[in-house]
Each structure stands twice: as C-alpha cells, then as structure tokens.
Amino acid sequence: MVSNEFRLQMQGFGLTTAEIHYRLPDYRDLLQLFIWQEYDIAPDFPTLKHFLDYWEREIEGPLHSVRVAHHRLIQPSEWRAVDGVITLQ
C-alpha cells in the first residue's frame, strides 16, 4: 500500500512551508505567527492559495505577511565525476 504523500511526490508535488504572520483580532498592533505545511506545486501553489482564501473568508485575524519555502523531495539526482585519488590511512 502506497501512502497518499508518496503519490503526491511522484506527481510533482513538493513540501511547501508557509510562515503566516497575522494580526490578532482584538489587538491589531500585535502579530501572531502560524506555520502551515502541506504538499503543493510550485510556482502556482494552488493548495496554499486555497488555504489563504479560506483564512481571509473565515478567520478574524487579518493577514499581515506570508513567506513561502518549497522543496521537491523526489527529484533526479545530481552526479559529478571527480578526478583525483583520496588516500585514507
């Protein structure tokens, strides 16, 4: 049995992490941090956009900023030949 996460990775999804800063509803001068992590496709990030649309529609804390990091976990390897001899004693 193959996990859903592995299937997503094989379809080109990568692990996306978003650092979401938002204002507290009662104290607009204070920022709170929320970390969101899910498999998504760069550079469009449809899953993240769907979540942020939900946030703006349903959650009272207005968004301040969002920083995104993305990495494909399954990808072609990089191999490089090195000329030389390494001697270990």
Side-chain angles (χ1 to χ4, degrees):
M1 180 178 232
V2 178
S3 70
N4 187 44
E5 289 81 10
F6 181 73
R7 286 186 185 146
L8 289 173
Q9 291 177 46
M10 294 305 293
Q11 294 171 1
F13 284 70
L15 189 61
T16 302
T17 304
E19 182 182 277
I20 301 169
H21 292 263
Y22 64 96
R23 297 191 184 278
L24 294 177
D26 295 335
Y27 303 97
R28 297 295 172 122
D29 293 337
L30 295 178
L31 290 177
Q32 185 75 358
L33 174 65
F34 179 79
I35 302 295
W36 176 90
Q37 194 170 54
E38 188 64 58
Y39 289 96
D40 209 350
I41 297 178
D44 296 331
F45 301 109
T47 308
L48 175 60
K49 286 180 181 176
H50 179 63
F51 176 75
L52 293 176
D53 289 343
Y54 169 81
W55 184 297
E56 289 182 332
R57 208 176 46 251
E58 302 293 332
I59 298 177
E60 292 183 21
L63 296 173
H64 176 268
S65 60
V66 178
R67 289 190 337 169
V68 178
H70 177 81
H71 183 68
R72 286 190 62 185
L73 301 174
I74 297 178
Q75 59 189 355
S77 299
E78 205 174 287
W79 185 81
R80 184 174 67 172
V82 177
D83 289 334
V85 176
I86 298 173
T87 305
L88 299 175
Q89 294 182 349

